[in-house]
Amino acid sequence: MFNPADFTSSELLVREKVTAALNSPFLPKLLEATRKPLLEFVQADSMALCIMRLAPSIDFRWHVPGTPIPILNEYAGLVDQDFLRAPILARPGVPVFDTQLLSRAEYEGTLIYQRSLELKLPFEHIMAVLVPISPGLVAALAFYRHERRPFSAQNAVALSSITSTWATTLDNCQAVQSMAAGAQLLQELYLRKNSAFLLLEPPAREVFRTPLATLLLERWFPTPSDFDMTSGLPRVLKEQLDALMKMDSDARLGKNLWVRTHPEGYRTCRFVELPADDGTPKWALLLSELPHSIPLPFHMQRKLTPRELDVARGVLRNWSNGQIADELEISGETVKTHVRNLFDKLGVDCRADFLYQVAHLNRPV
């Protein structure tokens, strides 16, 4: 959680540089743009990002901006020796560093440390945090010091303050990179029968839309007064897009989804910022219709307690906290606690994000 009071004015300026660089949905550009300010902010010498798919089995791929880190090329053979892996998987969003887990003698006895010495790039200290991206997909953001200078609690606070922003950015990267860039992205989306999206240039000039997007917008907004005359967008979507374009990365957290309930199901619009060759970002609006009765995926169920499962099912029925409390015969404050805990465990920001992620797994958008 970001609290400006935790930082000096100079640290806040560096943090602003980090969040300003988190605007590309293309991972290599994102890492290169953030590397220098992020290393300064966290006070590390090098960094790496490991994208991990947790199911059906763990699969991982390392991305290293700047100078290569040779030991990561051998990680498949060292993964069982990674003493940070289990702690960060157990507590997503919470930074962990070596001195919290091992004495110096124990650390120097690890295979990872010994191999880093052999490869002439010693890992004198390591700090990492798990960044949830989407159900079943996470990223480990790792930082290294090559001289004996331990990471501090303040370094962990700095890393923790940007974890949620990284989660949103990496989610957007995954949404875009799972298809293709530029014209290939448009072609791929257009050819999908269930694809409904619009592509816009600020302030709201429409560049492209799929036929299904037209059908959905006509069904969702049946009267001319529902639309903004200048842009041709539904007013409610135009207002949310305008608000998002004025926000920084922190403020956008949890606000890039529009969800409305309807007798036939949920109607959602996801706002994704895309880069442009001229430096002016474009925006994609991804539209979908989802049924009310969305089952909770099994891998999500396994992470929750029985009571959290009951609360999660109430949220998926679009019940308020009060309705859930009445149904389960518990207090409203208890419901709020369960909702907060289950969102933390599943790596989602809010009700809209929870609905979107569950629906995305049941029927990809």
Side-chain angles (χ1 to χ4, degrees):
M1 183 67 68
F2 173 52
N3 181 0
D6 291 334
F7 305 98
T8 66
S9 57
S10 59
E11 288 173 334
L12 289 173
L13 287 174
V14 177
R15 186 180 182 280
E16 286 181 10
K17 293 179 182 178
V18 175
T19 57
L22 290 171
N23 64 359
S24 173
F26 300 106
L27 194 56
K29 292 183 179 179
L30 171 70
L31 289 173
E32 189 53 43
T34 56
R35 181 178 65 88
K36 185 176 179 180
L38 189 52
L39 290 177
E40 182 182 355
F41 185 54
V42 178
Q43 298 180 12
D45 299 317
S46 61
M47 62 176 284
L49 180 77
C50 183
I51 304 293
M52 294 186 287
R53 193 168 294 280
L54 302 178
S57 60
I58 292 184
D59 183 31
F60 55 83
R61 177 174 296 181
W62 284 95
H63 302 267
V64 182
T67 304
I69 301 177
I71 193 173
L72 297 182
N73 295 329
E74 305 177 3
Y75 186 74
L78 298 170
V79 62
D80 292 336
Q81 307 296 321
D82 186 351
F83 59 90
L84 281 171
R85 182 166 163 266
I88 65 171
L89 284 170
R91 301 185 66 191
V94 178
V96 180
F97 44 91
D98 59 283
T99 54
Q100 293 175 312
L101 304 174
L102 304 173
S103 68
R104 184 65 195 182
E106 290 171 330
Y107 177 63
E108 290 182 352
T110 64
L111 185 58
I112 287 179
Y113 179 75
Q114 292 295 326
R115 186 58 181 148
S116 74
L117 291 179
E118 293 171 359
L119 293 171
K120 310 301 182 184
L121 191 66
F123 283 179
E124 293 295 344
H125 294 285
I126 308 173
M127 179 169 66
V129 66
L130 193 77
V131 182
I133 301 176
S134 59
L137 187 69
V138 299
L141 194 56
F143 295 88
Y144 310 101
R145 285 181 175 171
H146 306 306
E147 296 180 358
R148 194 172 297 187
R149 184 168 51 93
F151 287 103
S152 67
Q154 180 60 25
N155 299 142
V157 169
L159 181 54
S160 178
S161 79
I162 57 172
T163 300
S164 294
T165 307
W166 267 94
T168 300
T169 302
L170 291 174
D171 188 24
N172 286 343
C173 285
Q174 181 64 23
V176 174
Q177 291 179 354
S178 64
M179 300 169 195
Q184 292 180 342
L185 167 64
L186 297 181
Q187 182 180 17
E188 175 68 18
L189 285 170
Y190 188 85
L191 291 175
R192 292 171 59 185
K193 291 182 180 180
N194 66 339
S195 177
F197 80 98
L198 297 87
L199 186 65
L200 305 171
E201 287 183 346
R205 185 177 75 84
E206 185 174 316
V207 177
F208 185 86
R209 77 161 64 184
T210 60
L212 183 55
T214 299
L215 291 176
L216 291 183
L217 290 179
E218 289 176 350
R219 183 156 68 232
W220 296 0
F221 305 99
T223 62
S225 60
D226 291 329
F227 290 82
D228 175 72
M229 297 299 294
T230 303
S231 65
L233 283 176
R235 292 182 187 278
V236 64
L237 300 184
K238 174 68 163 56
E239 290 170 359
Q240 186 154 341
L241 177 61
D242 288 344
L244 285 169
M245 288 192 294
K246 296 175 182 176
M247 296 178 186
D248 59 24
S249 299
D250 288 316
R252 287 179 187 168
L253 292 176
K255 298 182 178 66
N256 66 338
L257 285 173
W258 173 87
V259 179
R260 291 295 181 273
T261 187
H262 186 270
E264 298 174 357
Y266 296 102
R267 296 169 173 179
T268 76
C269 176
R270 184 181 184 188
F271 299 81
V272 178
E273 185 180 13
L274 305 171
D277 292 338
D278 61 0
T280 302
K282 293 183 175 64
W283 285 79
L285 275 60
L286 310 180
L287 312 174
S288 61
E289 290 186 331
L290 312 168
H292 281 306
S293 55
I294 306 174
L296 190 65
F298 180 66
H299 80 273
M300 285 187 166
Q301 295 182 31
R302 290 188 301 175
K303 297 179 181 180
L304 306 180
T305 66
R307 182 56 87 191
E308 288 168 349
L309 275 172
D310 292 336
V311 173
R313 293 183 181 114
V315 174
L316 291 176
R317 295 187 184 101
N318 202 37
W319 289 354
S320 67
N321 285 355
Q323 289 172 304
I324 296 173
D326 291 342
E327 176 68 19
L328 301 181
E329 298 182 346
I330 56 179
S331 72
E333 285 301 314
T334 301
V335 172
K336 287 174 64 176
T337 299
H338 284 314
V339 169
R340 183 173 59 251
N341 290 341
L342 74 90
F343 284 1
D344 287 342
K345 289 181 179 180
L346 300 180
V348 298
D349 295 324
C350 59
R351 282 176 173 253
D353 189 33
F354 178 48
L355 169 66
Y356 184 87
Q357 299 295 351
V358 172
H360 185 74
L361 284 175
N362 281 281
R363 192 185 74 179
V365 177

